[in-house]
Amino acid sequence: MSYLLSLRKFLRVHPYFATFFGGGLFVLSAIAAIVWRFSYFYSSFVIGLFLFFDAATHLLDKSISFSSNLNRIGKTFWMVLFFFIFFTDLVAGQIIFSVWQYPPYKGFINWVLLYLIIYPVGGLSLIAMFRFFDLLFGKIFPGNFFQIKEAARFTKKTLKIILLALPVAMMIPVGLYFSRLVEIFAQNQVLYSFIFIFLFFEWTFFFDILILAFGGKPILLDLIRGEKKVFLAILVSGLLGAFLHEVINTFVHEWVYVTKNFPVTPATFLGVPVVVFVAWIPLTIVCVQAYRLGTVIKEGGLLETLKKEYFT
């Protein structure tokens, strides 16, 4: 990550060039995938997206772009993203539920690059996109969609329920895998969909539990308060991210989905499962949470802090 931040620091001297450079990089990567069928387009693609939206955010209001803060929280943030991606993508997505694969990836180095560099940078690009739209919509659509009394208290209670249900959320996929019942459950679309929705909800807001415990602001609180800019930024970033990443990949299949194992519906749109388009919205939430967690996390005292926050 230090190399990426060094590049960003250099480009910030010329923000217009930085925007052009990042935009050019992800456009050229997309062309390499669409025209030349380059199977490993994704690494340069996500770097370009990150640089473009980070620079565009700086241009929007001349503020300090969020990449500046990564020098301070970078290692913590990277570890948070790495472990989440590793367990959700490899363990849950490929090993337990077998809903996607990576046909071009043959050697060990491919997997190291994917989980240590490519996907964490992909998370950075999604956060940069969210930051851009959060700032833009904050200027255009200030205020809230709705008001809920005692939103903070309701958020804490909701996160406490999520925390108490976490053991179940961990036992279900492990139990299904070792009992070899995944394929049997997949045949019952209603039950299988219910399990996925429950797991998605649990893991989408897992980081919020830690954020609140460490004294930060959970994104669930923003949503419960009905903040327009947050709602719109998550929706637009998620759907735009899904379109850019997923549709371009259909030309080269750096990753592929096993639609017969998908919950809710196997239907596709533009060659991408509809469920995947929807899943990018909670993915956006998770990435934003990972960044917020990195900004508030403290050394040690995790168990004590969680106990004080949720069990007293």
Side-chain angles (χ1 to χ4, degrees):
M1 186 179 70
S2 59
Y3 296 105
L4 180 60
L5 294 181
S6 297
L7 174 61
R8 182 65 192 99
K9 184 177 180 180
F10 169 76
L11 292 174
R12 280 199 64 204
V13 179
H14 306 286
Y16 287 99
F17 175 74
T19 307
F20 175 80
F21 181 87
L25 184 59
F26 84 73
V27 168
L28 288 176
S29 301
I31 292 174
I34 297 171
V35 178
W36 299 311
R37 299 296 196 270
F38 180 57
S39 298
Y40 300 98
F41 80 101
Y42 198 57
S43 55
S44 56
F45 179 81
V46 292
I47 291 174
L49 277 179
F50 163 67
L51 294 174
F52 173 79
F53 279 102
D54 187 53
T57 302
H58 178 65
L59 286 176
L60 196 59
D61 72 345
K62 304 300 181 184
S63 66
I64 298 176
S65 59
F66 95 94
S67 60
S68 302
N69 195 37
L70 290 175
N71 288 311
R72 181 171 63 86
I73 67 166
K75 291 182 179 179
T76 301
F77 170 75
W78 210 260
M79 289 180 62
V80 168
L81 268 186
F82 167 75
F83 282 110
F84 182 84
I85 292 169
F86 179 83
F87 283 106
T88 55
D89 185 273
L90 178 62
V91 177
Q94 295 184 66
I95 297 177
I96 296 179
F97 293 106
S98 301
V99 288
W100 54 72
Q101 302 167 348
Y102 297 85
Y105 288 23
K106 305 299 181 183
F108 177 73
I109 189 64
N110 285 128
W111 299 105
V112 172
L113 291 175
L114 180 69
Y115 292 117
L116 283 180
I117 299 177
I118 298 175
Y119 272 169
V121 176
L124 282 177
S125 70
L126 199 54
I127 299 169
M129 189 183 299
F130 169 84
R131 291 265 303 187
F132 174 80
F133 287 113
D134 181 63
L135 179 61
L136 178 64
F137 291 136
K139 295 177 180 292
I140 301 175
F141 305 109
N144 299 42
F145 283 117
F146 48 82
Q147 296 286 345
I148 294 182
K149 294 182 179 180
E150 298 184 344
R153 183 181 177 184
F154 183 68
T155 299
K156 183 176 179 179
K157 287 186 175 181
T158 303
L159 292 178
K160 184 174 182 178
I161 294 172
I162 293 173
L163 176 62
L164 294 175
L166 272 179
V168 178
M170 291 187 289
M171 288 187 294
I172 286 177
V174 174
L176 289 176
Y177 176 74
F178 285 105
S179 63
R180 302 181 183 276
L181 293 176
V182 174
E183 292 187 4
I184 295 176
F185 270 78
Q187 296 174 6
N188 188 324
Q189 194 73 349
V190 175
L191 179 59
Y192 197 56
S193 299
F194 175 80
I195 291 174
F196 261 82
I197 292 172
F198 168 71
L199 294 178
F200 257 93
F201 184 77
E202 282 290 304
W203 293 114
T204 297
F205 294 104
F206 168 70
F207 287 148
D208 264 354
I209 297 171
L210 303 179
I211 292 171
L212 183 59
F214 286 132
K217 183 185 179 185
I219 198 167
L220 181 61
L221 178 59
D222 295 338
L223 298 175
I224 290 177
R225 284 177 174 170
E227 295 188 17
K228 290 181 180 180
K229 65 173 186 175
V230 175
F231 264 100
L232 294 173
I234 289 174
L235 183 63
V236 173
S237 299
L239 295 179
L240 179 61
F243 179 82
L244 291 175
H245 295 247
E246 301 290 350
V247 174
I248 292 174
N249 176 65
T250 60
F251 290 90
V252 293
H253 302 295
E254 188 166 344
W255 61 90
V256 296
Y257 294 105
V258 185
T259 54
K260 68 182 181 66
N261 293 338
F262 265 69
V264 185
T265 175
T268 62
F269 176 69
L270 298 177
V272 180
V274 173
V275 174
V276 171
F277 277 101
V278 177
W280 271 79
I281 296 174
L283 177 61
T284 304
I285 294 174
V286 168
C287 289
V288 175
Q289 287 174 332
Y291 174 73
R292 290 189 181 186
L293 179 59
T295 62
V296 301
I297 198 167
K298 302 174 183 177
E299 295 294 331
L302 174 59
L303 293 179
E304 292 79 5
T305 307
L306 285 172
K307 181 179 179 181
K308 180 180 178 181
E309 185 67 41
Y310 293 105
F311 296 105
T312 58

